[in-house]
Amino acid sequence: MSITKYQGCLLGALIGDCMGAPFEMSYFGRNGIKREIILNKLSKTLEKKESTFGYTDDSAMTKSVAHSLLKNNGFSRTDMARRFRDDYIKEPFRGYGGGVVSIFQQWNTKEITDDNVYLPSKHQFDGSGSFGNGAAMRVAPIPLFAKSPDQCIEIAQRAAQLTHYNKHGINGAILQALAIFHALQSKKDNFKVDEFLTYLKKQMKTIEKASKVKIGHHKNENENIEEYAKSENFSYCSQLEVIEKLISNENTDLKTVIEQIGHDISAMTAVPAAIISFLKNIDNGFEEVLYYAISLGGDTDTIASMACAIAGAFYGAQDIPKLWIEKCEDSDILVDMGEKLYQVHS
Ligand code: F2R
Ligand code: MG
Ligand code: MG
Ligand code: MG
């Protein structure tokens, strides 16, 4: 495996977040965002010498995860929690989700220990736990660190549970981690979309069967999120089947993808939206994955970050435009972290 795939993955996570953030939840994103609007807005920053793209909570937490894994040469629940909390306290303005902030605040009232670290996330949303996409959006360093799919699943689960105790929040992070793990192992010249989806479906079938955590019905202002949470039939396996169907028809339009997959702040919609953004553009390159993910609208920074993390692991950093890398805040730090995660395996 080449180092550029490791760096490409973390740069992808950063670039998707930075370049997707200007469109997040914008009022014009409900039915998707037109390509001209995306190109026009991005070009203003890309073309202006002194302008840059700043990152949000997606990259802040991805950096926290990478730091913690590297420092401990593995997963330490207390260290990762302290890092999330301390990085939030240093830069609270990064646009963190409402629920996770209350977890950081609870962690800040007493010493974090192995015994109490998971308590705040278990109590979130009337005890149902968060199904937000926040555990999935930060997961990229885990498949880069892991030596096997089983280790990848185990760390992704335990790291997710620090803030997201709902089974869909956890399983969304596992699915995103496995998609990156597989993309990292894959080669451009013999990649098969159907094999990728079959692999993910097989893994998720076992994982979803084993998930015992009940989902809750916390009242939410966003009706779409509530619908997904209520659905007893929801599973990532069924979302992967929808992706398979949508991919098999070349003419599937954005509106259909948004209607059938979704694009909101829940893991149940955002992770599948990221996967289809990658797969639909597999032959078109990294840049098209980014444009497509943003064009879905909704939670654009997070969907683009996750889609580009998979794409970066697949193509490698050399296929990412240099200007994009230079324009995104702290890209040098993500390059360095990619190198260190690569060295874990040598
Ligand atoms: N837009 C954001 N963040 C909002 C920033 C708001 C700001 N802090 C403010 O106060 O104005 N983007 C970022 O948030 C997403 C990741 O969120 P994360 O980390 O999953 O957070 P959280 O709070 O756990 O979940 C997000 C929301 O999902 C709904 N929700 C989750 N579980 C629920 C449940 N069991 N029942 C009902 N609702 C549930 C809630 O509305 C949560 O607030 C990324 O998009 C990132 O870019
Ligand atoms: Mg964000
Ligand atoms: Mg977001
Ligand atoms: Mg900085």
Side-chain angles (χ1 to χ4, degrees):
M1 210 92 55
S2 80
I3 187 169
T4 72
K5 284 168 91 60
Y6 286 73
Q7 292 170 325
C9 175
L10 294 187
L11 282 172
L14 175 74
I15 289 169
D17 173 25
C18 287
M19 294 173 69
F23 307 90
E24 189 188 17
M25 304 299 180
S26 45
Y27 67 93
F28 53 85
R30 278 192 173 270
N31 302 312
I33 305 173
K34 288 205 172 71
R35 194 181 172 92
E36 310 92 82
I37 294 177
I38 298 170
L39 295 179
N40 188 23
K41 201 170 173 79
L42 293 178
S43 70
K44 292 202 173 102
T45 304
L46 290 170
E47 285 163 15
K48 218 182 201 169
K49 202 163 176 272
E50 63 278 16
S51 292
T52 53
F53 296 105
Y55 67 77
T56 77
D57 58 327
D58 305 57
S59 303
M61 296 194 86
T62 300
K63 286 166 71 186
S64 308
V65 169
H67 266 134
S68 183
L69 289 174
L70 288 166
K71 182 180 148 206
N72 298 284
N73 191 27
F75 175 69
S76 158
R77 58 178 118 166
T78 50
D79 182 76
M80 199 174 280
R82 285 186 199 115
R83 224 177 232 282
F84 287 154
R85 180 197 63 191
D86 296 347
D87 290 345
Y88 165 73
I89 289 170
K90 262 185 245 157
E91 299 189 331
F93 54 83
R94 294 282 179 188
Y96 286 83
V100 287
V101 169
S102 93
I103 294 178
F104 304 148
Q105 284 160 347
Q106 291 171 68
W107 280 338
N108 207 26
T109 59
K110 52 176 170 256
E111 176 68 15
I112 297 175
T113 67
D114 275 336
D115 293 334
N116 68 17
V117 69
Y118 286 116
L119 294 181
S121 63
K122 281 183 184 170
H123 291 130
Q124 287 287 83
F125 300 104
D126 300 336
S128 60
S130 174
F131 53 66
N133 55 32
M137 78 186 181
R138 66 182 189 230
V139 86
I142 295 173
L144 302 188
F145 178 84
K147 295 193 168 62
S148 66
D150 284 350
Q151 192 190 22
C152 176
I153 292 166
E154 195 196 332
I155 301 180
Q157 178 189 351
R158 290 160 69 202
Q161 284 170 331
L162 288 169
T163 49
H164 292 69
Y165 225 88
N166 185 285
K167 69 174 176 185
H168 296 325
I170 299 164
N171 291 344
I174 293 174
L175 174 57
Q176 170 67 8
L178 287 170
I180 292 174
F181 194 90
H182 197 288
L184 198 64
Q185 317 285 325
S186 302
K187 292 200 170 67
K188 275 188 266 184
D189 50 7
N190 63 359
F191 183 83
K192 299 226 165 34
V193 170
D194 54 342
E195 283 174 11
F196 181 81
L197 285 170
T198 302
Y199 170 80
L200 293 178
K201 272 197 295 184
K202 192 166 171 237
Q203 290 277 12
M204 293 314 292
K205 198 171 172 191
T206 314
I207 289 159
E208 294 196 301
K209 221 171 154 187
S211 312
K212 296 267 191 292
V213 190
K214 278 253 181 301
I215 58 167
H217 295 168
H218 185 85
K219 192 170 158 21
N220 196 290
E221 286 165 17
N222 185 328
E223 282 169 27
N224 291 336
I225 293 180
E226 177 79 339
E227 276 315 302
Y228 276 103
K230 272 185 187 161
S231 166
E232 294 299 330
N233 296 329
F234 176 84
S235 76
Y236 287 101
C237 285
S238 54
Q239 283 283 60
L240 290 164
E241 261 155 31
V242 175
I243 291 177
E244 202 162 28
K245 204 181 75 209
L246 295 174
I247 289 278
S248 68
N249 177 0
E250 266 183 34
N251 300 322
T252 299
D253 60 10
L254 274 182
K255 191 167 169 278
T256 310
V257 174
I258 297 165
E259 274 167 14
Q260 296 197 19
I261 302 280
H263 62 178
D264 64 40
I265 206 164
S266 71
M268 298 86 94
T269 61
V271 176
I275 291 173
I276 198 169
S277 299
F278 165 62
L279 291 177
K280 231 178 163 333
N281 294 286
I282 190 93
D283 297 327
N284 308 329
F286 183 90
E287 290 156 87
E288 291 303 321
V289 174
L290 176 97
Y291 296 140
Y292 188 90
I294 296 176
S295 72
L296 289 175
D299 195 356
T300 48
D301 67 333
T302 304
I303 295 170
S305 177
M306 294 192 291
C308 291
I310 307 170
F314 179 68
Y315 299 115
Q318 76 289 339
D319 284 14
I320 303 176
K322 285 210 168 48
L323 178 65
W324 288 16
I325 299 173
E326 284 161 21
K327 284 283 185 179
C328 290
E329 182 184 4
D330 281 0
S331 55
D332 52 334
I333 295 180
L334 276 298
V335 167
D336 184 53
M337 284 172 159
E339 181 177 346
K340 293 200 168 90
L341 285 162
Y342 172 76
Q343 282 163 354
V344 166
H345 302 275
S346 51

